[in-house]
């Protein structure tokens, strides 16, 4: 054989081996000791066996402008494409063992390449983030590199699903990429996200705070709402990413795949007839209803720990993925507040981007009162959810379970904002406000003038309750399409979705609306 | 025979009585409290009368209200069921004075048998062996020591009033007497407002064996054999059976005679149960007599073929017994399991909630007496027993196996139950051998967990089922996407072997599916070394129960999905099964062990509102999930649950107090 050719082959072998072990066996062991997997191991679990096609194994950086940094093959990130349950996805997995997974020019170019291809072929982009941030040694080149990624995150937004799985640190400007993506996973105890890290916080504000307390998985799952999902460890994180993907279409031109779970579309559940307590002031768990109606009782809840007074998540009805938005009366009586409005608003817009029908289950007594909410801007934030539902052109179906008062009734996907089909349970109370508030306003003069104001108020409340705390007035007007038996909810929803399957509506011709932010 | 009777009870016994009345064409009147507004017993009766608030004092224990209800509806007789007022002489008297028939014994019999001291005296007079002991209450410590000396240690201090184990203390040596006597008196005073305590010999390794008797108003008395009720937890029966594994025909005759003699001595009429304690040498001693129908009466019904409620009604109506002792025959074996709404994993605290899924076992030899159905609300006001499962077989082993299978298939969701705890009891080899004593549960269990690990064979079957479910579910996704996958270069994986690693607690299994499981076909599945032929059913994941035919035998599993793991309930095993592919398993070795998170030692207020009620007090031991405070907020009432298992060290709020979000309500010492 030609010696030239032989030499080339040997070089190729050597370079590939170098790239694969670039970080060094010891560094990988350090990752393992920290309870983390290596970048390659993660991809190995994420993708179907033997489907990974890697790009740019041999790509290197141009050399740092501030000198002194070794060039690593692959530049600290592994990129390419593979399949998840047979469907193509594009991936990048940052390698913490190489320069701390820091993002340099070449590193970013690799990521941009797969993002561009993903948009071209219409396949999801999954990023496994584990990076110290921008590579300081590359200076502004590193910043420029980030910019290019952000640009593509935005261009791909609403075109292909983008998922970020933060499996280590994600700090500084780097956090903006995941925050633009559709869903963020964080691994407990080993992942952190913050714009400014603990050491700088200490220097500037003299506050001592750990990475975990500043931006660990618990914080972002609960307080900030930055993380949509938290998982116990790397292995389970990748399983959950695969699970999420199974609910989603590959791109915005397709519908999500149908999955047959052998669950009859006309299955009735008698427990639903008993779910609502006879006392209007007692709570119940909305999750019972959610699990009862969905195929296989399977529900992937998004933002489970954030704004728990509203429940958002994916399920299937008749095999088809649906996006569920439901008030949770067991938490804060199911009121809408700033966090709930923002959480649900984003979820609704994601579903609208990707042809996922929206189902809302309504039991909302109103918006949360008080100066905290008002000063916090509930006016602006509440409007987000209203805007999101109204703007959505995917099939929309609503079921009013119990309370639907005032503005919150309108916001929660009502007929008046052009929800396609609205059902109500016999326990529905569709009214401008609750009996007490209404009675106090309408009969104010009478109550004030009475000998026993309390008794008159009680009497008027009872009268109001009897007249308005039911779905019949709304039904008379056609504001709801039917009053259904609770146990039949699932079969009504599936029939309705079948009918709406071919729904085609278009918004007005404009660049985009101006959703309050 | 009566035309209409009122049932002064609730739950499963009320429904049980209604069932017999329906068969006999007797109209039924049920009574119900606020909490039982939507109850099953209320709706199954012909008529129902609301008798008051949820607390038993205001409803089921209110004699006047019950009598009024009977009069208002024209009921001719009252059946008291068990518990509540069934053994209150005042109630029996009030019923009679109202001109109604009390379906039970005469007032005098209720009176004399209700008191431990008088009943023991009567037993002695009837020639029934009694536990060596003093029939008078002890006067003081000196007296107690003298009596104990006379009877012989070990001795038991027993309160004269009440039962359920309250106030009882075992004393093995004279030195322990002072403290034990003080503690016993204190507890008795608190529970029964009575400090009478008497001393008797403590029987070691006792078995609790009772005799069912029936007596008519014409003086005929028969016994219907024995029931063994040794499986108890804190003096509450959990599993009962008839006959007893240690009672021979001769012993049965002797015990039966003793019970009948006692009944005659007491001039007893109607159904009753004479309870004995038996020592290791099969000597039996009178314990007490229950002057009512017992919870465990179904086991007697199943082996005698008799309907005890019907016989109670006939006797109360004045009819003579339709058979004599020679007419009583016993066939086969029956075992009963009491199903309660409690959480064995948390010290058996009562569990509340709404039943969201309910499927009771059915079939030949299986009887379920249930008080609840789907949608039933379980509160804390009443006894936690939901239902009884009774299985009958030709032999004891047949009955035991049928009961295990029945319990495996008893699907209740929404409240925690002791179903798997009871199954683990009857799965123990010692239970299969019949080596029972009243110390059985304490001996073999720590809290609700068996001291011994479950059998490997059972664990393997559970691992097999978990893997099959996991595999099918995962494959289902792949198959559904098949039409969307590029047709270029696709692979089919039929006929491949699928390897999995399964972990449950500290146990690891290797499960191999030889070939892809196809519904309707047999798949060979290997678990570690053993091979199993499994008939693959159609998987209906929403059902959350699975029946698998493995090697020709049916096994029932109950399932809960927890993230991507599977919680299996089978043969008393209640565990999470983690199924991994071999690749994932290798990677799992690097995953950190989940450290026990530092637990919050405070209860914080979730939202601004008003404290409506404080349900626990300082020093009380509470459990995670137990409601401690009731808050009213946004015009809704909700419970605030304890985040930990612990002891309350401080309660910082009062009823009626306004509270803010994040305000500390209660402090704990975490356990």
């Amino acid at each position: 054989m030609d010696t030239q050719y032989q030499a080339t082959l040997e070089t190729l072998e050597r370079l590939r081996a170098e790239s694969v072990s670039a970080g060094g066996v010891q560094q990988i062991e350090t990752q393992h000791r920290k309870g983390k997997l290596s970048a390659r191991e993660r991809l190995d679990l994420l993708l179907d066996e033997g489907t990974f096609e890697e790009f740019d194994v041999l790509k290197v950086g141009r050399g740092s402008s501030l000198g002194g940094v070794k060039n690593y093959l692959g530049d600290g990130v592994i990129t390419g494409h593979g399949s998840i349950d047979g469907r193509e996805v594009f991936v990048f997995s940052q390698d913490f063992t190489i320069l701390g997974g820091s993002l340099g020019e070449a590193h970013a170019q690799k990521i941009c390449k797969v993002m561009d291809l993903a948009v071209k072929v219409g396949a999801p982009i999954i990023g496994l983030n584990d990076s110290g941030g921008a590579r300081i040694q590359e200076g502004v080149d590193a910043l420029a590199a980030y910019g290019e990624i952000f640009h593509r995150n935005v261009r791909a937004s609403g075109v292909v699903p983008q998922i970020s799985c933060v499996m280590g640190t994600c700090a500084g400007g780097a956090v903006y990429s995941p925050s633009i993506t559709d869903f963020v996973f964080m691994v407990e105890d080993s992942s952190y996200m913050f714009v400014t890290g603990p050491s700088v916080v200490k220097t500037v504000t003299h506050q001592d705070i750990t990475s975990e307390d500043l931006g660990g998985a618990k914080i972002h799952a609960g307080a900030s709402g930055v993380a949509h999902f938290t998982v116990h460890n790397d292995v389970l994180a990748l399983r959950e990413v695969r699970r999420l993907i199974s609910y989603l279409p590959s791109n915005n031109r397709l519908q999500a795949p149908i999955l047959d779970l052998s669950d009859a579309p006309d299955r009735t559940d008698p427990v639903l007839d008993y779910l609502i307590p006879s006392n209007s002031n007692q709570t119940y768990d909305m999750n019972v209803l959610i699990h009862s109606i969905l195929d296989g009782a399977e529900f992937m809840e998004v933002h489970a720990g954030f704004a728990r007074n509203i429940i958002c998540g994916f399920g299937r009805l008749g095999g088809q993925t649906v996006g569920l938005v439901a008030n949770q009366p067991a938490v804060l009586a199911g009121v809408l507040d700033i966090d709930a409005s923002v959480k649900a608003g984003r979820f609704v817009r994601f579903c609208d981007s990707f042809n996922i029908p929206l189902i809302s289950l309504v039991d909302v007594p109103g918006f949360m009162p008080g100066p905290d909410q008002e000063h916090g801007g509930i006016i602006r934030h509440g409007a987000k959810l209203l805007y999101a539902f109204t703007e959505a052109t995917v099939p929309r179906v609503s079921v009013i379970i119990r309370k639907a008062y005032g503005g919150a009734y309108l916001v929660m996907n009502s007929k008046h904002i052009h929800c396609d089909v609205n059902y109500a349970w016999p326990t529905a109370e569709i009214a401008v406000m609750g009996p007490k508030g209404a009675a106090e306003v309408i009969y104010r003069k009478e109550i004030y003038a009475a000998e026993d104001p309390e008794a008159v108020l009680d009497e008027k409340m009872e009268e109001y309750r009897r007249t308005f705390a039911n779905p019949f007035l709304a039904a008379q007007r056609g504001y709801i399409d039917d009053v259904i038996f609770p146990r039949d909810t699932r079969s009504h929803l599936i029939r309705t979705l079948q009918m709406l399957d071919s729904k085609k509506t278009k918004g007005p011709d404009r660049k985009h609306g101006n959703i309050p932010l | 025979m009566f035309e209409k009777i009122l049932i002064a009870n609730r739950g499963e016994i009320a429904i049980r009585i209604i069932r017999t009345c329906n068969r006999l064409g007797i109209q039924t009147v049920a009574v119900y409290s606020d909490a039982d507004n939507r109850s099953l017993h209320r709706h199954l009766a012909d008529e129902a009368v609301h008798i008051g608030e949820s607390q038993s004092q205001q409803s089921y224990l209110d004699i006047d209200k019950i009598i009024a209800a009977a009069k208002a509806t024209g009921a001719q007789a009252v059946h008291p069921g068990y518990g509540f007022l069934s053994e209150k002489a005042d109630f029996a008297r009030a019923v009679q004075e109202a001109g109604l028939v009390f379906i039970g014994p005469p007032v005098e019999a209720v009176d004399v048998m209700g008191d431990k001291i008088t009943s023991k005296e009567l037993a002695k007079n009837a020639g029934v062996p009694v536990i060596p002991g003093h029939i008078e209450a002890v006067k003081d410590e000196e007296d107690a020591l003298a009596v104990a000396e006379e009877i012989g240690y070990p001795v038991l201090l027993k309160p004269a009033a009440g039962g359920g184990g309250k106030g009882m203390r075992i004393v093995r040596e004279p030195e322990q007497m002072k403290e034990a006597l003080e503690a016993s008196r204190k507890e008795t005073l608190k529970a029964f407002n009575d400090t009478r305590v008497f001393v008797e010999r403590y029987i070691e390794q006792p078995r609790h064996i009772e005799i069912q008797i029936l007596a008519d108003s014409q003086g005929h008395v028969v016994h219907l054999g024995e029931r063994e009720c040794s499986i108890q937890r804190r003096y509450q029966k959990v599993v009962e059976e008839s006959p007893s594994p240690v009672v021979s025909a001769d012993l049965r005759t002797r015990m039966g005679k003793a019970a009948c003699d006692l009944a005659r001595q007491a001039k007893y009429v109607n159904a009753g149960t004479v309870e004995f304690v038996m020592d290791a040498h099969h000597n039996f001693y009178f314990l007490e007599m229950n002057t009512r129908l017992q919870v465990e009466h179904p086991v007697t019904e199943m082996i005698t073929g008799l309907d005890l409620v019907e016989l109670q009604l006939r006797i109360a109506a004045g009819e003579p017994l339709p058979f004599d002792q020679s007419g009583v025959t016993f066939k086969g074996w029956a075992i009963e399991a009491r199903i309660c709404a409690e959480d064995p994993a948390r010290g058996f605290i009562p569990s509340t909630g709404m039943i969201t899924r309910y499927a009771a076992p059915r079939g030949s030899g299986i009887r379920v007496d249930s008080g609840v159905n789907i949608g039933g609300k379980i509160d804390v006001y009443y006894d936690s027993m939901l239902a009884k499962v009774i299985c009958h077989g030709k032999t004891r082993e047949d009955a035991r196996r049928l009961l295990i299978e029945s319990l495996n298939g008893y699907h209740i969701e929404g409240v925690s139950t002791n179903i798997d705890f009871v199954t683990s009891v009857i799965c123990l080899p010692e239970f299969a051998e019949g080596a029972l004593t009243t110390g059985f549960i304490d001996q073999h269990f720590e809290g609700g967990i068996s001291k011994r690990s479950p059998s490997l064979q059972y664990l393997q079957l559970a691992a097999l089922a978990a893997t099959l479910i996991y595999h099918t579910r995962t494959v289902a996704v792949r198959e559904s996407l098949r039409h969307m996958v590029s047709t270029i270069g696709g692979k089919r994986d039929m006929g491949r072997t699928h390897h999995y690693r399964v972990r449950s607690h500290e146990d690891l299994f290797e499960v191999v599916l030889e070939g892809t499981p196809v519904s309707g076909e047999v798949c060979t599945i290997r678990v570690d070394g053993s091979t199993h032929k499994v008939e693959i059913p159609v998987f209906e994941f929403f059902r959350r129960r699975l029946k698998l035919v493995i090697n020709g035998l049916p096994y029932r599993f109950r399932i809960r999905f927890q993230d991507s793991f599977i919680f299996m309930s089978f043969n008393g095993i209640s565990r999470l099964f983690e199924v991994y592919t071999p690749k994932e398993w290798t990677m799992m070795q690097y995953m950190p062990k989940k450290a026990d998170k530092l637990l919050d030692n405070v209860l914080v207020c979730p939202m601004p509102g008003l404290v409506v009620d404080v349900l626990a007090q300082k020093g009380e031991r509470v459990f995670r999930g137990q409601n401690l405070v009731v808050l009213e907020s946004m015009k809704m009432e909700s419970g605030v649950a304890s985040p930990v298992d612990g002891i309350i060290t401080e309660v910082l709020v009062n009823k009626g107090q306004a509270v803010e979000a994040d305000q500390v309500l209660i402090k704990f010492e975490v356990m």
Side-chain angles (χ1 to χ4, degrees), chain B residues 98-169:
Chain B
L100 307 165
V101 177
F102 179 74
I103 300 170
V107 178
E108 300 73 37
V110 177
D111 245 331
V112 77
M113 288 306 175
D115 183 293
K116 292 257 170 35
I117 293 178
T118 52
S119 65
K120 197 167 169 179
E121 241 193 277
L122 190 137
K124 263 182 158 178
N125 294 339
V128 175
V130 297
I131 303 175
H134 228 221
I135 36 171
E136 274 161 21
V138 291
K139 297 190 258 302
D140 53 29
E141 187 195 333
E142 222 183 283
D143 190 19
L145 283 167
V147 169
E149 198 61 46
E150 196 189 306
I151 310 170
Y153 288 92
V155 297
L156 181 67
L157 301 179
K158 235 167 125 170
K166 281 211 156 69
M168 302 207 335
R169 286 287 187 287

Side-chain angles (χ1 to χ4, degrees), chain A residues 44 188 239 257 281 298, chain B residues 473 481 564 579 594 635 637:
Chain A
D44 204 20
E188 283 168 17
R239 260 200 200 182
N281 286 348
E298 286 186 9
Chain B
R473 180 64 189 76
L481 297 172
S564 62
V579 182
K594 240 354 191 164
K635 308 204 191 107
E637 268 187 28

Side-chain angles (χ1 to χ4, degrees), chain A residues 21 58 137 182 355 366 375 379 385 410 415 442 444 466 472 483 485 515:
Chain A
S21 67
L58 306 174
Q137 293 87 340
D182 300 305
N355 311 314
H375 298 179
I379 292 171
L385 181 54
L410 292 175
K415 181 63 91 191
I442 299 172
R444 192 205 336 259
R466 254 177 300 132
F472 300 120
V483 180
F485 286 115
I515 183 171

